Amino acid sequence: MSLINILSPHVADLIAAGEVVERPASVVKELAENAIDAGAKNITIEISGGGMKLIRVSDDGCGMSPEDAGIAFLRHATSKLRDERGLEAIATLGFRGEALAAISSVSRIELRTRTADAAEGTRVALSAGDIEEMGPVGCPVGTTMEVRDLFYNTPARLKFMKSDRAETSACINAALRCALGHPEVSLRMIRDGEEEFFTPGDGRSESAVYSLLGRDAAKNFLSVSGSDEGVSVDGFVSAPHACRGNRAMQFFFINGRPFRSLTIQAALEQAFKNNMLVGRFPACVLYITLGFGKVDVNVHPTKSEVKFSEEKKVFDCVYYAVLSTLDAANEVKTAEISLSPSTKKVIAPKADFYKKMSAEEFRASQKASVSAPGRSAPPQQTKLNMGDVTKALFGEKKESPLPPRVEAPKITLRSPAPEYKPSPIVPRPEIPVIRETPAPAKAEEKPIIPDYRLIGEVLNTYIIVETEGSLLLIDKHAAHERIIFDRLKRDGAAMSQSLLIPVTWRPDPESLELVENNSALLEKAGFEIEPYGAREVIIRAVPSDTDGSEIAMLEDIISAISSGKAENPMEKIYHTIACKAAIKAGWKTDRRELEVLVEKVLSGEVRYCPHGRPVSVALTRAELDKFFKRIV
Ligand code: ADP
Ligand code: MG
């Protein structure tokens, strides 16, 4: 009997829908992009119930003929691409012909649309992708797409939706990105009957920024403009004093399409290096324009990730344009302080200085000016930042000495660093595994440690010790885990260690919510995590000494938190950290480290591992004698 089935088009659509339509915000994005592609000058987006109940997008674009309205919901139905040659230079936001098929397969839709030359419009009603009604209707030129009861037929997906509030804000964010990317379109966003924002659509990006991001942000923006070898960048960056605590206000557009790229983010932040406090992030709205053939938007169904054929060129263009803006801003400041215009000219380069230079010339001039007398050295870097990411990305490691190591906690080392397997995160501070924490103030008296003889270790796991009248076997991992756990509990926080290359993580929605809801706990545990887009986070720092993948550790912690009922979640977190930071069974461990563990066990400080398993087992002389039938 054959085991392989060809899935029905309906099931195939449901599977594909999962990629394009993750949540209501994806519908908002796709419908708004269709309206923009249709040449709309005015778009209204209305949502209610977090977009789960209703999303209505109306536009005054070109509309659809009755024939097109009938096939628009089929998979791979698009008016924007004819053949594979078109794929090389995509000028529209859509082209895959997937969005309407995907959305309609998981909702109830009503479409009303009319082209300018038609006397009447067309109405199409669909449920779960099937056309239920279709006929003429009176309506204005343009298109209104009404999506109701999203995911009503996919309960598994429905379960993953967050609160109405969270989905609403994701929808607003998606609409905001569209509006910000298209200042030539007037966009009105209405949430549960109330206007959320309105952009005038006068084609000026400053108007869009002002109406979308608010007066305060607009006031602190400096304008950016530069072009080089077919790449141009325009827009705004925050003045250095107005940098922010996270990257939520960084907006990048490529040919009008919002996109994410660590490289371009690095170009921005590299330009701000030395202009901004460590731990702050510039805000920006940057519009990059380059030939449609030089960017591949067909990387992901949602098209939020792009590939540049000449990434370095785009990097350079953004970097120098932002740098020249910052230099111009500094120049103004210098003038305000004391210098006459003529003096100022001599010491400060002109604002367009960098734009006229090639990247190579600029680098050379930077080197020369750094070594020139009178120019102060850049401030000492105290924390790893995106500049290093850039270097890592472009392999300029040899030019940059490794950044200073993250400061180690104040501890008394009992032994040299044990042999570590290289960790995937570079560089790790070489903090030896075992440490003695200073005794708490109240317990000044030294713990009493009975005489012992450390015989050695077997199976790279158990320590063998002879004490008065008995033989002791100690599980070194369990003992060390306990010591770390106790220390974490006593200190009430874990040391944090920055990652040289921050890691992005896309958890499932439930885990994302847990990360968001437990951010204070995770921070206390030594994690530095920031939202990155609607669905991802960036991990910038992890608890010190922990070994292995930071994502795996977070997943462990998240699942520990979610499974814990009445238990203290911080204890769960400490358990996981202690387990990851402790020496492992199977590792070779230095003798002096073993001694530390033995003494902790013999003093009675450490009895059980954090999970309640015993740390040591004692065999008395009598028990041994019994084994060998010396006594009965
Ligand atoms: P894509 O945008 O990738 O072409 P979609 O599934 O989003 O695919 O849309 C399918 C087609 O439906 C579009 O190519 C376009 O011809 C038509 N369409 C969708 N929305 C609109 C709209 N608001 N106005 C006019 N035509 C539209
Ligand atoms: Mg589309």
Side-chain angles (χ1 to χ4, degrees):
M1 194 187 74
S2 145
L3 294 176
I4 299 178
N5 300 311
I6 304 292
L7 293 176
S8 72
H10 175 63
V11 177
D13 279 353
L14 280 182
I15 293 170
E19 282 183 359
V20 182
V21 192
E22 273 171 326
R23 59 194 304 194
S26 341
V27 176
V28 169
K29 169 186 174 285
E30 294 295 341
L31 296 186
E33 287 187 351
N34 277 351
I36 291 166
D37 282 345
K41 287 273 152 275
N42 295 282
I43 302 175
T44 303
I45 304 176
E46 292 168 73
I47 61 163
S48 71
M52 305 293 298
K53 245 201 219 150
L54 169 75
I55 297 171
R56 183 188 296 127
V57 178
S58 322
D59 68 60
D60 59 356
C62 64
M64 283 179 257
S65 65
E67 301 77 56
D68 281 353
I71 59 167
F73 296 92
L74 296 178
R75 221 170 152 209
H76 309 306
T78 179
S79 55
K80 301 165 196 173
L81 191 64
R82 290 233 164 266
D83 52 33
E84 78 263 22
R85 269 169 298 148
L87 260 185
E88 280 160 25
I90 288 164
T92 49
L93 294 168
F95 60 89
R96 299 171 65 113
E98 280 182 340
L100 291 186
I103 297 166
S104 65
S105 70
V106 291
S107 66
R108 300 183 224 273
I109 293 197
E110 184 169 317
L111 159 71
R112 285 159 195 268
T113 186
R114 178 159 82 90
T115 54
D117 55 1
E120 55 184 8
T122 309
R123 175 178 172 274
V124 185
L126 304 96
S127 275
D130 293 326
I131 295 185
E132 301 203 316
E133 286 172 43
M134 185 166 170
V137 74
C139 66
V141 172
T143 303
T144 296
M145 198 73 84
E146 234 173 58
V147 178
R148 289 183 191 273
D149 306 328
L150 191 61
F151 302 130
Y152 79 97
N153 56 341
T154 51
R157 177 61 62 126
L158 198 57
K159 234 179 32 212
F160 277 105
M161 290 307 112
K162 294 198 206 163
S163 61
D164 273 13
R165 195 183 48 83
E167 295 304 337
T168 300
S169 73
C171 288
I172 293 170
N173 232 324
L176 181 143
R177 278 171 202 271
C178 275
L180 210 48
H182 292 273
E184 77 286 4
V185 176
S186 169
L187 203 148
R188 187 184 300 277
M189 174 82 204
I190 298 170
R191 172 198 31 107
D192 297 314
E194 277 182 40
E195 183 175 293
E196 188 65 37
F197 63 71
F198 169 77
T199 59
D202 59 6
R204 296 170 57 228
S205 48
E206 41 288 36
S207 313
V209 164
Y210 191 95
S211 37
L212 293 166
L213 305 181
R215 198 172 62 104
D216 280 349
K219 204 174 65 192
N220 289 315
F221 269 145
L222 307 168
S223 62
V224 173
S225 170
S227 64
D228 193 21
E229 298 183 52
V231 186
S232 76
V233 54
D234 293 280
F236 310 92
V237 291
S238 52
H241 72 267
C243 285
R244 309 173 73 88
N246 59 40
R247 294 193 172 85
M249 266 264 226
Q250 291 184 355
F251 300 96
F252 297 96
F253 300 91
I254 181 92
N255 298 338
R257 181 192 303 281
F259 79 106
R260 280 178 317 198
S261 152
L262 277 183
T263 311
I264 306 309
Q265 178 185 306
L268 166 80
E269 295 183 4
Q270 177 83 336
F272 266 83
K273 204 172 158 188
N274 302 333
N275 262 305
M276 153 184 92
L277 288 174
V278 169
R280 308 291 291 171
F281 302 95
C284 75
V285 180
L286 289 178
Y287 303 96
I288 298 166
T289 317
L290 80 170
F292 290 115
K294 294 195 167 150
V295 51
D296 183 1
V297 290
N298 193 18
V299 181
H300 189 266
T302 63
K303 304 171 224 106
S304 59
E305 282 159 35
V306 297
K307 267 196 203 136
F308 301 107
S309 59
E310 292 157 324
E311 198 167 53
K312 181 87 171 92
K313 240 189 223 169
V314 184
F315 177 95
D316 277 356
C317 187
V318 171
Y319 175 71
Y320 295 122
V322 173
L323 203 57
S324 105
T325 292
L326 293 176
D327 260 40
N330 283 340
E331 192 179 351
V332 173
K333 223 187 274 156
T334 320
E336 275 170 8
I337 297 167
S338 60
L339 301 175
S340 71
S342 55
T343 323
K344 193 183 77 187
K345 235 184 212 159
V346 178
I347 66 159
K350 285 208 65 75
D352 60 353
F353 172 76
Y354 301 108
K355 276 183 263 168
K356 293 194 181 136
M357 293 177 118
S358 73
E360 293 311 315
E361 288 166 336
F362 177 81
R363 244 175 251 124
S365 80
Q366 284 286 289
K367 270 192 203 129
S369 59
V370 165
S371 54
R375 169 140 183 171
S376 61
Q380 178 85 39
Q381 189 187 346
T382 51
K383 198 177 168 190
L384 312 181
N385 61 30
M386 287 308 293
D388 306 301
V389 178
T390 317
K391 292 199 178 107
L393 281 169
F394 287 106
E396 290 182 358
K397 276 196 186 116
K398 46 186 173 341
E399 276 180 28
S400 71
L402 280 179
R405 288 185 183 283
V406 182
E407 205 179 297
K410 286 196 179 58
I411 45 168
T412 321
L413 303 180
R414 288 285 303 248
S415 57
E419 257 181 66
Y420 268 129
K421 298 176 207 103
S423 138
I425 308 160
V426 280
R428 288 281 193 190
E430 281 168 20
I431 303 170
V433 170
I434 296 186
R435 63 204 49 199
E436 251 194 351
T437 34
K442 58 177 173 41
E444 274 301 288
E445 348 68 75
K446 273 202 168 157
I448 302 157
I449 301 163
D451 287 342
Y452 72 93
R453 185 164 69 93
L454 172 59
I455 299 166
E457 190 186 2
V458 285
L459 307 171
N460 277 344
T461 302
Y462 301 107
I463 312 169
I464 304 183
V465 181
E466 181 186 356
T467 57
E468 224 185 8
S470 64
L471 173 74
L472 201 63
L473 293 168
I474 300 172
D475 176 336
K476 70 176 178 183
H477 169 76
H480 192 208
E481 193 178 355
R482 180 75 210 195
I483 294 168
I484 297 173
F485 177 75
D486 285 348
R487 176 164 49 83
L488 289 170
K489 254 182 89 169
R490 191 178 51 233
D491 295 352
M495 291 291 298
S496 183
Q497 167 188 330
S498 296
L499 300 180
L500 176 58
I501 300 180
V503 174
T504 53
W505 179 38
R506 188 187 179 93
D508 59 79
E510 205 179 343
S511 303
L512 184 65
E513 195 158 45
L514 281 165
V515 169
E516 282 169 1
N517 294 348
N518 291 287
S519 60
L521 293 185
L522 290 170
E523 195 177 315
K524 222 168 125 190
F527 285 98
E528 218 180 289
I529 302 176
E530 277 167 32
Y532 184 62
R535 290 287 321 275
E536 277 176 291
V537 293
I538 289 194
I539 308 168
R540 303 194 160 277
V542 293
S544 304
D545 298 356
T546 47
D547 167 79
S549 150
E550 39 291 313
I551 290 178
M553 178 160 51
L554 262 172
E555 278 169 345
D556 282 1
I557 288 177
I558 290 301
S559 73
I561 295 175
S562 66
S563 63
K565 287 167 195 90
E567 248 178 302
N568 177 355
M570 208 59 216
E571 290 223 344
K572 291 252 178 199
I573 293 179
Y574 289 155
H575 274 176
T576 314
I577 297 175
C579 183
K580 300 280 178 205
I583 47 172
K584 305 284 181 292
W587 286 7
K588 228 173 134 247
T589 310
D590 185 273
R591 189 176 174 88
R592 303 208 44 202
E593 291 179 327
L594 296 179
E595 278 171 9
V596 177
L597 294 176
V598 171
E599 288 176 14
K600 292 274 184 196
V601 173
L602 288 178
S603 70
E605 253 183 77
V606 174
R607 289 172 203 273
Y608 298 97
C609 87
H611 309 283
R613 282 187 282 113
V615 155
S616 62
V617 172
L619 288 172
T620 59
R621 161 149 226 134
E623 282 166 325
L624 285 170
D625 284 349
K626 263 191 190 171
F627 270 143
F628 295 98
K629 310 269 187 245
R630 284 174 168 264
I631 55 171
V632 280

